[in-house]
Amino acid sequence: DEAKEDSLIFDFGGYLDPRIITALEISDVVIIPVSDFGKKLDTQGFISSIAEAEAYNKKIIIVLNKMREEDAVAVRSELKKHKYSYPIFEIRKSEAVEKMLNEKKSISTIVKEGGLLGWTYRGINNDFKKLINYIKGEK
């Protein structure tokens, strides 16, 4: 019950551990990322993750992480095949995340600082903004 009072993030690590079910039930949003789509095991795991999560919480968001366009199309097709219509967000492949971690600055801060890096990272910054705005209810 303490988790209800704080903003927390839980990482399920790709499988639903029974100890996490309460966290899943009280979550405002469940983000299910996918990156290595197309490999049979990863595809089945991704679809299984959605089915397991939605048994406890249907406020699911799909995040296509560092994915090629043809793989993104395949994910959308697979979701449609399973009759899933959850919101989908794409986070493009970029060195910005590594730079953010190394410099201990957010991508938006790096973009605000301007210069070549600010210009280069504006796309991934917008990707994250769209996702964050949706989570905040600013659809």
Side-chain angles (χ1 to χ4, degrees):
D1 286 338
E2 296 170 12
K4 288 183 181 181
E5 297 177 14
D6 295 322
S7 294
L8 300 173
I9 296 173
F10 300 93
D11 184 348
F12 299 109
Y15 66 96
L16 189 60
D17 184 301
R19 298 170 293 176
I20 306 245
I21 290 173
T22 301
L24 188 58
E25 290 172 330
I26 66 169
S27 292
D28 294 329
V29 67
V30 177
I31 299 173
I32 300 180
V34 58
S35 54
D36 288 329
F37 196 78
K39 297 176 185 169
K40 188 173 182 181
L41 217 66
D42 294 328
T43 302
Q44 290 173 340
F46 168 65
I47 295 300
S48 294
S49 293
I50 296 171
E52 288 175 349
E54 78 174 0
Y56 301 98
N57 190 330
K58 293 190 186 308
K59 295 178 269 180
I60 293 172
I61 298 173
I62 308 297
V63 175
L64 310 182
N65 190 26
K66 302 183 289 184
M67 195 166 290
R68 299 177 313 191
E69 185 57 36
E70 59 268 23
D71 290 336
V73 169
V75 170
R76 284 182 166 81
S77 174
E78 190 72 18
L79 289 168
K80 190 175 183 178
K81 184 169 90 177
H82 290 277
K83 297 182 174 34
Y84 291 131
S85 59
Y86 294 112
I88 300 172
F89 293 87
E90 293 188 46
I91 305 295
R92 67 192 74 202
K93 186 173 184 173
S94 173
E95 295 175 5
V97 176
E98 185 176 344
K99 180 90 170 157
M100 174 187 70
L101 295 171
N102 288 337
E103 294 196 10
K104 296 180 179 34
K105 293 180 187 177
S106 69
I107 294 171
S108 62
T109 298
I110 295 169
V111 169
K112 285 177 190 170
E113 290 174 352
L116 183 58
L117 283 181
W119 186 83
T120 303
Y121 296 160
R122 73 190 188 293
I124 192 169
N125 187 53
N126 287 334
D127 294 347
F128 278 113
K129 276 185 183 178
K130 288 176 191 173
L131 176 60
I132 291 166
N133 289 342
Y134 185 86
I135 292 168
K136 287 180 171 180
E138 301 168 12
K139 301 165 190 165

Coordinates of all heavy atoms in Angstrom, one line a residue, residues 27-104:
S27 N -0.9 0.1 -10.6 CA -0.1 1.0 -11.5 C -1.1 1.8 -12.3 O -2.1 1.3 -12.8 CB 0.7 0.1 -12.4 OG 1.8 -0.5 -11.7
D28 N -0.7 3.0 -12.5 CA -1.5 4.0 -13.4 C -1.3 3.6 -14.8 O -2.2 3.8 -15.6 CB -1.0 5.4 -13.2 CG -1.4 5.9 -11.8 OD1 -2.4 5.5 -11.2 OD2 -0.6 6.8 -11.3
V29 N -0.2 3.0 -15.2 CA 0.1 2.7 -16.6 C 1.1 1.5 -16.6 O 2.0 1.4 -15.7 CB 0.6 3.9 -17.4 CG1 2.0 4.3 -16.9 CG2 0.6 3.6 -18.9
V30 N 0.9 0.6 -17.5 CA 1.9 -0.5 -17.7 C 2.5 -0.4 -19.0 O 1.9 -0.4 -20.1 CB 1.1 -1.9 -17.6 CG1 2.1 -3.0 -17.9 CG2 0.4 -2.0 -16.3
I31 N 3.8 -0.2 -19.0 CA 4.6 0.0 -20.3 C 5.2 -1.3 -20.6 O 6.0 -1.9 -19.8 CB 5.7 1.1 -20.1 CG1 5.0 2.4 -19.8 CG2 6.5 1.2 -21.4 CD1 6.0 3.6 -19.5
I32 N 4.9 -1.8 -21.8 CA 5.5 -3.0 -22.3 C 6.4 -2.7 -23.5 O 5.9 -2.4 -24.6 CB 4.4 -4.1 -22.7 CG1 3.6 -4.4 -21.4 CG2 5.1 -5.3 -23.2 CD1 2.5 -5.4 -21.7
P33 N 7.7 -2.7 -23.3 CA 8.6 -2.4 -24.3 C 8.9 -3.6 -25.2 O 8.9 -4.8 -24.7 CB 9.9 -2.0 -23.6 CG 9.9 -2.7 -22.3 CD 8.4 -2.9 -22.0
V34 N 9.3 -3.4 -26.4 CA 9.7 -4.5 -27.3 C 10.9 -3.9 -28.2 O 10.8 -2.8 -28.7 CB 8.6 -5.1 -28.2 CG1 7.9 -4.0 -29.0 CG2 9.1 -6.2 -29.0
S35 N 11.9 -4.7 -28.3 CA 13.0 -4.2 -29.2 C 13.5 -5.3 -30.2 O 13.6 -5.0 -31.3 CB 14.2 -3.8 -28.3 OG 14.6 -4.8 -27.4
D36 N 13.7 -6.5 -29.8 CA 14.2 -7.5 -30.7 C 13.0 -8.3 -31.3 O 12.9 -9.5 -31.1 CB 15.2 -8.5 -30.0 CG 16.5 -7.8 -29.7 OD1 16.9 -6.9 -30.5 OD2 17.1 -8.1 -28.7
F37 N 12.1 -7.6 -32.0 CA 11.0 -8.3 -32.5 C 11.4 -9.1 -33.8 O 12.3 -8.8 -34.5 CB 9.9 -7.3 -32.9 CG 8.6 -7.9 -33.1 CD1 7.8 -8.2 -32.0 CD2 8.1 -8.2 -34.4 CE1 6.5 -8.8 -32.2 CE2 6.8 -8.8 -34.6 CZ 6.1 -9.1 -33.5
G38 N 10.7 -10.2 -34.0 CA 11.0 -11.1 -35.1 C 11.6 -12.4 -34.8 O 11.4 -13.4 -35.4
K39 N 12.4 -12.4 -33.7 CA 13.0 -13.6 -33.2 C 11.8 -14.3 -32.5 O 11.1 -13.8 -31.7 CB 14.1 -13.4 -32.2 CG 15.3 -12.7 -32.9 CD 16.3 -12.4 -31.8 CE 17.5 -11.5 -32.4 NZ 18.3 -11.0 -31.4
K40 N 11.6 -15.6 -32.9 CA 10.4 -16.3 -32.4 C 10.2 -16.2 -30.9 O 9.1 -15.9 -30.4 CB 10.5 -17.8 -32.8 CG 9.2 -18.5 -32.6 CD 9.2 -19.9 -33.2 CE 7.9 -20.5 -32.9 NZ 7.8 -21.9 -33.4
L41 N 11.2 -16.4 -30.1 CA 11.1 -16.4 -28.7 C 10.7 -15.0 -28.2 O 9.9 -14.9 -27.3 CB 12.5 -16.8 -28.0 CG 12.4 -17.7 -26.8 CD1 11.7 -19.0 -27.1 CD2 13.7 -17.9 -26.2
D42 N 11.4 -14.0 -28.7 CA 11.1 -12.6 -28.3 C 9.6 -12.2 -28.7 O 8.9 -11.6 -27.9 CB 12.1 -11.6 -28.9 CG 13.5 -11.8 -28.4 OD1 13.6 -12.3 -27.2 OD2 14.4 -11.6 -29.1
T43 N 9.2 -12.6 -29.9 CA 7.8 -12.3 -30.3 C 6.8 -13.0 -29.4 O 5.9 -12.3 -28.9 CB 7.6 -12.8 -31.8 OG1 8.6 -12.1 -32.6 CG2 6.2 -12.4 -32.3
Q44 N 7.0 -14.3 -29.1 CA 6.1 -15.0 -28.2 C 6.1 -14.4 -26.8 O 5.1 -14.2 -26.2 CB 6.4 -16.5 -28.2 CG 6.1 -17.2 -29.4 CD 6.6 -18.6 -29.4 OE1 7.5 -19.0 -28.7 NE2 6.1 -19.4 -30.3
G45 N 7.3 -14.0 -26.3 CA 7.4 -13.4 -25.0 C 6.7 -12.1 -24.9 O 6.1 -11.8 -23.9
F46 N 6.8 -11.3 -26.0 CA 6.2 -10.0 -26.0 C 4.6 -10.2 -25.9 O 4.0 -9.5 -25.1 CB 6.6 -9.3 -27.3 CG 5.8 -8.1 -27.6 CD1 5.8 -7.0 -26.8 CD2 5.0 -8.0 -28.8 CE1 5.1 -5.8 -27.1 CE2 4.3 -6.9 -29.1 CZ 4.3 -5.8 -28.3
I47 N 4.1 -11.0 -26.8 CA 2.7 -11.2 -26.8 C 2.2 -11.8 -25.4 O 1.2 -11.4 -24.9 CB 2.2 -12.1 -28.0 CG1 2.5 -11.4 -29.3 CG2 0.8 -12.5 -27.9 CD1 1.8 -10.1 -29.5
S48 N 3.0 -12.7 -24.9 CA 2.7 -13.3 -23.6 C 2.7 -12.3 -22.5 O 1.8 -12.3 -21.6 CB 3.6 -14.4 -23.2 OG 3.5 -15.5 -24.1
S49 N 3.6 -11.4 -22.5 CA 3.7 -10.3 -21.5 C 2.4 -9.4 -21.5 O 1.9 -9.1 -20.5 CB 4.9 -9.4 -21.8 OG 6.1 -10.1 -21.6
I50 N 1.9 -9.1 -22.7 CA 0.7 -8.4 -22.8 C -0.5 -9.2 -22.2 O -1.2 -8.6 -21.4 CB 0.4 -8.0 -24.3 CG1 1.4 -7.1 -24.9 CG2 -1.0 -7.3 -24.4 CD1 1.3 -6.9 -26.3
A51 N -0.6 -10.4 -22.5 CA -1.7 -11.2 -22.0 C -1.6 -11.4 -20.5 O -2.6 -11.2 -19.8 CB -1.7 -12.6 -22.7
E52 N -0.4 -11.6 -20.0 CA -0.3 -11.7 -18.5 C -0.6 -10.4 -17.8 O -1.3 -10.4 -16.8 CB 1.2 -12.1 -18.2 CG 1.5 -13.5 -18.5 CD 2.9 -13.9 -18.3 OE1 3.8 -13.0 -18.1 OE2 3.2 -15.1 -18.4
A53 N -0.1 -9.3 -18.4 CA -0.3 -8.0 -17.7 C -1.8 -7.6 -17.7 O -2.3 -7.1 -16.7 CB 0.6 -6.9 -18.4
E54 N -2.4 -7.8 -18.9 CA -3.8 -7.3 -19.0 C -4.8 -8.1 -18.1 O -5.9 -7.6 -17.9 CB -4.3 -7.2 -20.4 CG -4.7 -8.5 -21.1 CD -5.2 -8.4 -22.5 OE1 -5.4 -7.2 -22.9 OE2 -5.6 -9.4 -23.0
A55 N -4.4 -9.2 -17.6 CA -5.2 -9.9 -16.6 C -5.3 -9.1 -15.3 O -6.3 -9.3 -14.6 CB -4.6 -11.3 -16.4
Y56 N -4.4 -8.2 -15.1 CA -4.4 -7.4 -13.8 C -4.6 -5.9 -14.1 O -4.9 -5.2 -13.1 CB -3.1 -7.7 -13.1 CG -2.9 -9.1 -12.7 CD1 -2.1 -10.0 -13.5 CD2 -3.5 -9.7 -11.7 CE1 -1.9 -11.3 -13.3 CE2 -3.4 -11.1 -11.4 CZ -2.6 -11.8 -12.2 OH -2.5 -13.2 -11.9
N57 N -4.3 -5.5 -15.3 CA -4.3 -4.1 -15.5 C -4.4 -3.9 -17.1 O -3.4 -4.3 -17.8 CB -3.1 -3.3 -14.9 CG -3.2 -1.9 -15.0 OD1 -3.8 -1.3 -15.9 ND2 -2.6 -1.2 -14.0
K58 N -5.4 -3.2 -17.5 CA -5.5 -3.0 -19.0 C -5.0 -1.7 -19.5 O -5.2 -1.3 -20.6 CB -7.0 -3.2 -19.4 CG -7.5 -4.6 -19.2 CD -8.8 -4.8 -19.9 CE -9.4 -6.2 -19.6 NZ -8.6 -7.3 -19.9
K59 N -4.4 -0.9 -18.6 CA -3.9 0.4 -18.9 C -2.5 0.2 -19.5 O -1.5 0.6 -18.9 CB -3.9 1.4 -17.8 CG -5.4 1.7 -17.3 CD -5.4 2.6 -16.1 CE -5.4 1.7 -14.9 NZ -5.5 2.4 -13.6
I60 N -2.4 -0.4 -20.6 CA -1.1 -0.8 -21.2 C -0.7 0.1 -22.3 O -1.5 0.6 -23.1 CB -1.2 -2.3 -21.8 CG1 -1.4 -3.2 -20.6 CG2 0.0 -2.6 -22.6 CD1 -1.8 -4.7 -21.0
I61 N 0.6 0.4 -22.4 CA 1.2 1.2 -23.5 C 2.3 0.3 -24.1 O 3.1 -0.3 -23.3 CB 1.8 2.5 -23.0 CG1 0.7 3.4 -22.4 CG2 2.5 3.2 -24.1 CD1 1.3 4.6 -21.7
I62 N 2.4 0.2 -25.4 CA 3.4 -0.5 -26.0 C 4.5 0.5 -26.5 O 4.2 1.5 -27.1 CB 2.9 -1.3 -27.3 CG1 1.7 -2.1 -26.9 CG2 4.0 -2.1 -28.0 CD1 1.9 -3.2 -26.0
V63 N 5.8 0.2 -26.2 CA 6.9 1.0 -26.6 C 7.8 0.2 -27.5 O 8.4 -0.8 -27.1 CB 7.6 1.6 -25.4 CG1 8.9 2.4 -25.9 CG2 6.7 2.5 -24.6
L64 N 7.9 0.7 -28.8 CA 8.8 0.1 -29.7 C 10.1 0.8 -29.5 O 10.3 2.0 -29.8 CB 8.3 0.3 -31.2 CG 6.8 -0.1 -31.4 CD1 6.5 0.1 -32.9 CD2 6.6 -1.5 -31.0
N65 N 11.1 0.0 -29.0 CA 12.4 0.6 -28.6 C 13.5 0.2 -29.6 O 13.8 -0.9 -29.8 CB 12.7 0.0 -27.2 CG 13.9 0.7 -26.6 OD1 14.2 1.8 -26.9 ND2 14.5 0.0 -25.7
K66 N 14.1 1.3 -30.2 CA 15.2 1.1 -31.1 C 14.9 0.2 -32.2 O 15.7 -0.7 -32.5 CB 16.5 0.7 -30.3 CG 16.9 1.7 -29.2 CD 18.2 1.2 -28.5 CE 18.0 0.0 -27.7 NZ 19.1 -0.4 -26.9
M67 N 13.8 0.3 -32.8 CA 13.3 -0.7 -33.8 C 13.4 -0.2 -35.2 O 13.1 1.0 -35.5 CB 11.9 -1.0 -33.4 CG 11.4 -2.3 -34.1 SD 9.9 -2.8 -33.4 CE 10.4 -3.4 -31.8
R68 N 13.8 -1.0 -36.1 CA 13.8 -0.7 -37.6 C 12.3 -0.6 -38.0 O 11.4 -1.2 -37.4 CB 14.5 -1.8 -38.4 CG 15.9 -2.0 -38.0 CD 16.5 -3.1 -38.8 NE 15.7 -4.2 -38.7 CZ 16.0 -5.4 -39.2 NH1 17.1 -5.7 -39.7 NH2 15.1 -6.4 -39.1
E69 N 12.1 0.2 -39.1 CA 10.7 0.4 -39.6 C 10.0 -0.9 -39.9 O 8.8 -1.1 -39.6 CB 10.7 1.3 -40.8 CG 9.3 1.7 -41.2 CD 8.4 2.4 -40.2 OE1 8.9 3.1 -39.3 OE2 7.2 2.1 -40.1
E70 N 10.7 -1.8 -40.6 CA 10.0 -3.1 -41.0 C 9.6 -3.9 -39.7 O 8.6 -4.6 -39.7 CB 10.8 -3.9 -42.0 CG 12.2 -4.3 -41.5 CD 13.3 -3.3 -41.8 OE1 13.0 -2.1 -42.1 OE2 14.5 -3.7 -41.8
D71 N 10.4 -3.8 -38.7 CA 10.1 -4.5 -37.4 C 8.9 -3.9 -36.8 O 8.0 -4.6 -36.2 CB 11.3 -4.6 -36.5 CG 12.4 -5.5 -37.0 OD1 12.0 -6.4 -37.8 OD2 13.5 -5.3 -36.6
A72 N 8.8 -2.5 -36.8 CA 7.7 -1.8 -36.2 C 6.4 -2.2 -36.9 O 5.4 -2.4 -36.3 CB 7.9 -0.3 -36.3
V73 N 6.4 -2.4 -38.2 CA 5.3 -2.8 -39.0 C 4.9 -4.2 -38.6 O 3.7 -4.5 -38.4 CB 5.6 -2.7 -40.5 CG1 4.5 -3.4 -41.4 CG2 5.7 -1.3 -41.0
A74 N 5.9 -5.1 -38.4 CA 5.6 -6.4 -38.0 C 4.9 -6.5 -36.6 O 4.0 -7.3 -36.3 CB 6.9 -7.3 -38.0
V75 N 5.4 -5.6 -35.7 CA 4.8 -5.6 -34.3 C 3.3 -5.1 -34.4 O 2.5 -5.8 -33.8 CB 5.6 -4.6 -33.4 CG1 4.8 -4.3 -32.1 CG2 7.0 -5.1 -33.1
R76 N 3.1 -4.1 -35.2 CA 1.7 -3.6 -35.3 C 0.8 -4.7 -35.9 O -0.3 -4.9 -35.5 CB 1.7 -2.4 -36.2 CG 2.1 -1.1 -35.5 CD 2.0 0.1 -36.4 NE 2.2 1.3 -35.6 CZ 3.3 1.8 -35.2 NH1 4.4 1.2 -35.5 NH2 3.4 3.0 -34.6
S77 N 1.3 -5.5 -36.9 CA 0.6 -6.6 -37.5 C 0.3 -7.7 -36.5 O -0.8 -8.2 -36.4 CB 1.4 -7.1 -38.7 OG 0.8 -8.2 -39.2
E78 N 1.3 -8.0 -35.7 CA 1.1 -9.0 -34.7 C 0.1 -8.6 -33.6 O -0.7 -9.4 -33.2 CB 2.5 -9.3 -34.0 CG 2.5 -10.5 -33.1 CD 2.4 -11.9 -33.8 OE1 2.7 -11.9 -35.1 OE2 2.0 -12.9 -33.2
L79 N 0.2 -7.4 -33.2 CA -0.8 -6.8 -32.2 C -2.2 -6.9 -32.8 O -3.2 -7.3 -32.1 CB -0.5 -5.4 -31.8 CG 0.8 -5.2 -31.0 CD1 1.2 -3.8 -30.9 CD2 0.6 -5.8 -29.6
K80 N -2.4 -6.5 -34.1 CA -3.7 -6.6 -34.7 C -4.2 -8.0 -34.8 O -5.4 -8.3 -34.6 CB -3.6 -6.0 -36.1 CG -4.9 -5.7 -36.8 CD -4.7 -5.0 -38.1 CE -6.0 -4.7 -38.7 NZ -5.9 -4.0 -40.0
K81 N -3.3 -8.9 -35.1 CA -3.6 -10.4 -35.2 C -4.2 -10.9 -33.9 O -5.1 -11.7 -33.9 CB -2.4 -11.2 -35.6 CG -2.6 -12.6 -35.9 CD -1.4 -13.3 -36.5 CE -0.5 -13.8 -35.5 NZ 0.6 -14.6 -36.0
H82 N -3.7 -10.4 -32.8 CA -4.1 -10.8 -31.5 C -5.2 -9.9 -30.9 O -5.6 -10.0 -29.7 CB -2.9 -10.9 -30.5 CG -2.0 -12.0 -30.8 ND1 -2.2 -13.3 -30.4 CD2 -0.8 -12.0 -31.5 CE1 -1.2 -14.0 -30.8 NE2 -0.4 -13.3 -31.5
K83 N -5.7 -9.0 -31.8 CA -6.8 -8.0 -31.4 C -6.4 -7.1 -30.3 O -7.3 -6.7 -29.5 CB -8.1 -8.8 -31.2 CG -8.6 -9.5 -32.4 CD -9.9 -10.2 -32.1 CE -10.6 -10.9 -33.2 NZ -9.9 -11.5 -34.3
Y84 N -5.1 -6.7 -30.2 CA -4.7 -5.7 -29.2 C -4.7 -4.4 -29.9 O -4.2 -4.2 -31.0 CB -3.3 -6.0 -28.7 CG -3.2 -7.3 -27.9 CD1 -2.2 -8.2 -28.1 CD2 -4.0 -7.5 -26.8 CE1 -2.1 -9.4 -27.3 CE2 -3.9 -8.6 -26.0 CZ -3.0 -9.6 -26.3 OH -2.9 -10.7 -25.5
S85 N -5.3 -3.4 -29.2 CA -5.3 -2.0 -29.7 C -4.8 -1.0 -28.7 O -5.3 0.1 -28.6 CB -6.8 -1.7 -30.2 OG -7.6 -1.8 -29.0
Y86 N -3.8 -1.4 -28.0 CA -3.2 -0.5 -27.1 C -2.4 0.6 -27.8 O -1.9 0.4 -28.9 CB -2.3 -1.3 -26.1 CG -3.0 -2.2 -25.2 CD1 -2.9 -3.6 -25.4 CD2 -3.9 -1.8 -24.3 CE1 -3.6 -4.5 -24.6 CE2 -4.6 -2.7 -23.5 CZ -4.5 -4.0 -23.7 OH -5.2 -4.9 -22.9
P87 N -2.2 1.8 -27.1 CA -1.4 2.9 -27.7 C 0.0 2.4 -27.9 O 0.6 1.6 -27.1 CB -1.4 4.0 -26.6 CG -2.6 3.6 -25.7 CD -2.8 2.1 -25.8
I88 N 0.6 2.8 -29.0 CA 2.0 2.4 -29.4 C 2.8 3.7 -29.5 O 2.4 4.7 -30.2 CB 2.0 1.6 -30.7 CG1 1.2 0.4 -30.6 CG2 3.4 1.3 -31.1 CD1 1.0 -0.4 -31.9
F89 N 4.0 3.7 -28.9 CA 4.9 4.8 -29.0 C 6.3 4.2 -29.5 O 6.7 3.1 -29.1 CB 5.1 5.5 -27.7 CG 3.9 6.2 -27.3 CD1 2.9 5.5 -26.5 CD2 3.7 7.5 -27.6 CE1 1.7 6.2 -26.2 CE2 2.5 8.2 -27.2 CZ 1.5 7.5 -26.5
E90 N 7.0 5.0 -30.3 CA 8.3 4.6 -30.8 C 9.4 5.4 -30.2 O 9.2 6.7 -30.2 CB 8.3 4.7 -32.3 CG 7.4 3.7 -33.0 CD 7.5 3.6 -34.5 OE1 8.7 3.5 -35.0 OE2 6.5 3.6 -35.2
I91 N 10.4 4.8 -29.7 CA 11.6 5.5 -29.3 C 12.7 5.1 -30.2 O 13.1 3.9 -30.2 CB 12.0 5.1 -27.8 CG1 10.8 5.4 -26.9 CG2 13.2 5.8 -27.4 CD1 10.4 6.8 -26.7
R92 N 13.2 6.0 -31.0 CA 14.2 5.7 -32.1 C 15.5 5.3 -31.5 O 15.8 5.7 -30.3 CB 14.3 6.8 -33.1 CG 14.9 8.1 -32.4 CD 14.8 9.3 -33.3 NE 13.4 9.7 -33.2 CZ 12.9 10.5 -34.2 NH1 13.5 10.9 -35.2 NH2 11.6 10.8 -34.1
K93 N 16.3 4.6 -32.3 CA 17.7 4.3 -31.9 C 18.5 5.5 -31.9 O 18.5 6.3 -32.8 CB 18.2 3.2 -32.8 CG 19.6 2.7 -32.4 CD 20.0 1.6 -33.3 CE 21.3 1.0 -32.8 NZ 21.7 -0.2 -33.5
S94 N 19.2 5.8 -30.8 CA 20.0 7.0 -30.7 C 21.1 6.8 -29.6 O 20.9 6.0 -28.7 CB 19.1 8.1 -30.3 OG 19.9 9.3 -30.0
E95 N 22.2 7.5 -29.8 CA 23.3 7.5 -28.8 C 22.9 8.4 -27.6 O 23.6 8.5 -26.6 CB 24.6 7.9 -29.4 CG 25.1 7.0 -30.4 CD 26.4 7.5 -31.1 OE1 26.9 8.6 -30.7 OE2 26.8 6.8 -32.0
A96 N 21.8 9.1 -27.7 CA 21.4 10.1 -26.7 C 21.2 9.5 -25.3 O 21.6 10.1 -24.3 CB 20.1 10.8 -27.2
V97 N 20.7 8.2 -25.3 CA 20.5 7.6 -24.0 C 21.8 7.4 -23.3 O 21.9 7.7 -22.1 CB 19.6 6.3 -24.1 CG1 19.5 5.6 -22.8 CG2 18.3 6.6 -24.7
E98 N 22.8 6.9 -24.0 CA 24.1 6.7 -23.4 C 24.7 8.0 -23.0 O 25.3 8.1 -21.9 CB 25.0 6.0 -24.4 CG 26.4 5.6 -23.8 CD 27.2 4.8 -24.8 OE1 26.7 4.3 -25.8 OE2 28.5 4.7 -24.5
K99 N 24.6 9.0 -23.8 CA 25.1 10.3 -23.5 C 24.4 10.9 -22.2 O 25.1 11.4 -21.3 CB 24.8 11.3 -24.7 CG 25.3 12.7 -24.5 CD 26.7 12.8 -25.0 CE 27.1 14.2 -25.1 NZ 28.6 14.3 -25.0
M100 N 23.1 10.7 -22.1 CA 22.3 11.1 -21.0 C 22.9 10.5 -19.7 O 23.1 11.1 -18.7 CB 20.9 10.8 -21.2 CG 20.0 11.1 -20.0 SD 18.3 10.5 -20.2 CE 18.5 8.7 -20.1
L101 N 23.1 9.2 -19.8 CA 23.6 8.5 -18.6 C 25.0 8.9 -18.2 O 25.3 9.0 -17.0 CB 23.5 6.9 -18.8 CG 22.1 6.4 -19.0 CD1 22.1 4.9 -19.4 CD2 21.3 6.5 -17.7
N102 N 25.8 9.0 -19.2 CA 27.2 9.4 -18.9 C 27.3 10.8 -18.4 O 28.2 11.1 -17.5 CB 28.1 9.3 -20.2 CG 28.3 7.9 -20.6 OD1 28.3 7.0 -19.8 ND2 28.6 7.7 -21.9
E103 N 26.5 11.8 -18.9 CA 26.6 13.2 -18.5 C 25.7 13.5 -17.3 O 25.7 14.6 -16.8 CB 26.4 14.1 -19.6 CG 27.4 14.0 -20.7 CD 27.4 15.1 -21.7 OE1 26.7 16.1 -21.4 OE2 28.2 15.1 -22.7
K104 N 24.8 12.5 -17.0 CA 23.8 12.7 -15.9 C 23.0 13.9 -16.1 O 22.7 14.7 -15.2 CB 24.5 12.8 -14.5 CG 25.3 11.5 -14.2 CD 25.9 11.6 -12.8 CE 26.6 10.3 -12.4 NZ 27.3 9.5 -13.3

